[in-house]
Amino acid sequence: MKSVRKIYKFGFLNFHMKSQKNHVKLMFIILVVGLVLSYSSFPTFGHPTSIVSPIIQPIFIIGGTQGNQVEQFDEPDGVAVSSDGTIYVGDTLNLRIQVFDKDGNYVKNLTGFSDVSQNEVQGVAINSLGEICVIDMFGAKIRILDPNGTQIHEFGAKGSNSGEFQEPQGIATDSENRIFVVDTQRNTVLLFHRNGSFITEFGASSLGAPESILIDESNSRILVASEAAHKIVIFDYLSFTLLTEFGNTGPGKILDDPEGIVLDSDGNIILNDEGAGRISVFFTNLTFFQSFGSFGSASGYFNSPDGLAFDHTNQRLVVADQGNYRVQVFNWTEVMEVLTALPPAVELTTTTEDTTVSTSPSFSFAPVLISLIVFSYMVGKNVKKNK
């Protein structure tokens, strides 16, 4: 039987069909091309090509097993480093602070915290006098210890009134040895003199479950990691008024439950991005630089990273790797060399757990694919009708 040749005109396009067999071939080609185009336009999961989060090895690790013995932890949280490199680790559920020298060797335990139900030892900070300021969370106390670990005094009360605590979490001190405390339940920052007398509180309308706080006096600002809001909120150091926020909008939108926050010696902002299982670095102008680390239990990986401390004397970053029951210590000079060698990070937008969503490209060919399939089906109907 002689094949029938039909020409179908759609605007400026002419499609020549000799047989149903050729139509099937055309339909297959359309499907393949459409799928390729659609796949290339959909968001891809994993780090996009312009963003690399390398695994960098620490110079040493403290702990690594859950327990209450020496060098064991039960959810390490707050960490601090003194001027001589001594490392203080808030061993949250063991209600103690474990102390290690600059090389990670165990020194002693600091105990004596409130034995109340569900209590936790949370934030730890060292003031300019070398005193250790510790949050006794559900004891609703701030305890001040001398450099030897002997308690000097304590202050705080449970409640929701000005100067009172519900769930104090993060702590920092300034050059005047004033004490800043973030309360994750009250969504506020409370400020006290070193002797415990209350000064003021601020931030209640801007914060969402704040976890930690950083005093950046050289830039006259206070940075608060607002975990539930996935952002860093910045207040003026002198007036305590809201200045800006970053981490949840624009390039570098990467923050997923930010926790610890510190400055390096060049003023770069280092964040524990807990929900993404990595450490993120921003320049002092709040521009995203790079990140490193990923979810895992091997050396250089993180599982719910929490507190951060920076050792300016030895140029080291101390990370409380909470879910792995350990503390990892990194040579910051080496870290920055690795991160600086990476391609510029400009396309990172959002994260879900350890997955990054790329913004390339936003136009989708899905409607085009659907149209081609429908068109192919209609051509097939016409070929059958005219055979």
Side-chain angles (χ1 to χ4, degrees):
M1 179 178 175
K2 189 175 180 180
S3 62
V4 179
R5 181 185 181 95
K6 297 291 291 182
I7 300 177
Y8 300 95
K9 296 184 178 181
F10 286 81
F12 60 87
L13 297 176
N14 293 335
F15 293 88
H16 299 261
M17 304 293 293
K18 286 188 176 182
S19 68
Q20 181 70 13
K21 183 176 180 181
N22 286 350
H23 164 258
V24 172
K25 290 180 179 180
L26 175 62
M27 182 176 177
F28 178 76
I29 292 172
I30 290 173
L31 284 172
V32 171
V33 172
L35 286 171
V36 169
L37 291 174
S38 296
Y39 175 78
S40 66
S41 68
F42 290 154
T44 56
F45 293 89
H47 295 292
T49 55
S50 64
I51 299 296
V52 179
S53 189
I55 305 303
I56 300 176
Q57 291 303 308
I59 53 177
F60 62 84
I61 293 176
I62 303 171
T65 58
Q66 184 179 18
N68 58 12
Q69 302 301 308
V70 169
E71 296 186 35
Q72 291 183 329
F73 298 102
D74 198 350
E75 297 190 10
D77 196 298
V79 288
V81 181
S82 66
S83 59
D84 65 358
T86 301
I87 300 169
Y88 298 83
V89 183
D91 194 358
T92 306
L93 300 182
N94 283 327
L95 292 180
R96 66 184 180 182
I97 293 177
Q98 291 199 63
V99 184
F100 303 88
D101 68 19
K102 68 180 182 63
D103 298 315
N105 301 305
Y106 173 79
V107 176
K108 61 183 175 182
N109 284 340
L110 304 181
T111 58
F113 300 98
S114 303
D115 188 17
V116 297
S117 176
Q118 298 181 325
N119 194 24
E120 299 178 5
V121 174
Q122 282 287 341
V124 184
I126 310 294
N127 67 18
S128 65
L129 302 174
E131 295 170 340
I132 309 155
C133 307
V134 188
I135 290 179
D136 192 337
M137 188 174 189
F138 290 111
K141 301 287 185 185
I142 305 300
R143 299 184 184 274
I144 312 299
L145 316 178
D146 70 17
N148 295 317
T150 302
Q151 181 166 307
I152 301 171
H153 67 94
E154 64 181 54
F155 64 90
K158 186 80 169 180
S160 298
N161 297 319
S162 295
E164 295 179 336
F165 301 122
Q166 283 292 330
E167 290 187 20
Q169 186 92 12
I171 189 169
T173 62
D174 65 7
S175 60
E176 299 176 20
N177 294 318
R178 296 184 301 175
I179 300 169
F180 296 75
V181 180
V182 291
D183 191 310
T184 190
Q185 185 68 29
R186 293 189 58 210
N187 291 318
T188 192
V189 179
L190 298 92
L191 176 59
F192 301 87
H193 288 295
R194 174 173 166 268
N195 63 7
S197 59
F198 177 66
I199 301 174
T200 189
E201 60 183 52
F202 58 93
S205 62
S206 306
L207 300 174
E211 284 280 334
S212 59
I213 184 168
L214 167 66
I215 312 303
D216 182 7
E217 291 186 57
S218 62
N219 291 294
S220 193
R221 60 190 182 184
I222 300 166
L223 291 79
V224 181
S226 190
E227 181 182 26
H230 311 293
K231 63 185 179 182
I232 304 301
V233 182
I234 303 179
F235 301 92
D236 183 84
Y237 174 66
L238 299 177
S239 67
F240 311 124
T241 55
L242 177 65
L243 294 178
T244 188
E245 59 186 42
F246 72 96
N248 62 341
T249 57
K253 182 182 174 184
I254 62 168
L255 300 184
D256 188 0
D257 299 341
E259 293 259 1
I261 178 170
V262 294
L263 293 178
D264 70 7
S265 298
D266 294 320
N268 297 312
I269 302 164
I270 310 169
L271 298 169
N272 243 342
D273 201 357
E274 183 184 35
R278 64 188 172 206
I279 309 298
S280 295
V281 184
F282 288 76
F283 293 120
T284 189
N285 64 1
L286 313 184
T287 303
F288 177 69
F289 172 46
Q290 296 287 0
S291 65
F292 69 96
S294 184
F295 280 109
S297 58
S299 176
Y301 288 79
F302 305 105
N303 182 7
S304 188
D306 209 297
L308 284 180
F310 195 84
D311 179 354
H312 292 274
T313 302
N314 299 293
Q315 291 299 298
R316 295 173 176 176
L317 179 69
V318 180
V319 183
D321 189 6
Q322 189 175 83
N324 286 321
Y325 307 103
R326 66 189 181 188
V327 173
Q328 299 196 64
V329 179
F330 295 86
N331 181 317
W332 191 244
T333 302
E334 293 181 0
V335 170
M336 289 300 286
E337 287 175 353
V338 172
L339 298 184
T340 301
L342 297 176
V346 294
E347 294 183 8
L348 195 58
T349 56
T350 60
T351 60
T352 53
E353 295 303 321
D354 59 340
T355 308
T356 303
V357 182
S358 171
T359 57
S360 64
S362 59
F363 179 76
S364 174
F365 278 89
V368 177
L369 175 60
I370 294 172
S371 299
L372 289 173
I373 293 173
V374 172
F375 168 72
S376 180
Y377 173 76
M378 295 302 297
V379 170
K381 295 276 287 186
N382 287 332
V383 169
K384 281 186 177 182
K385 185 183 295 185
N386 292 283
K387 284 184 70 174

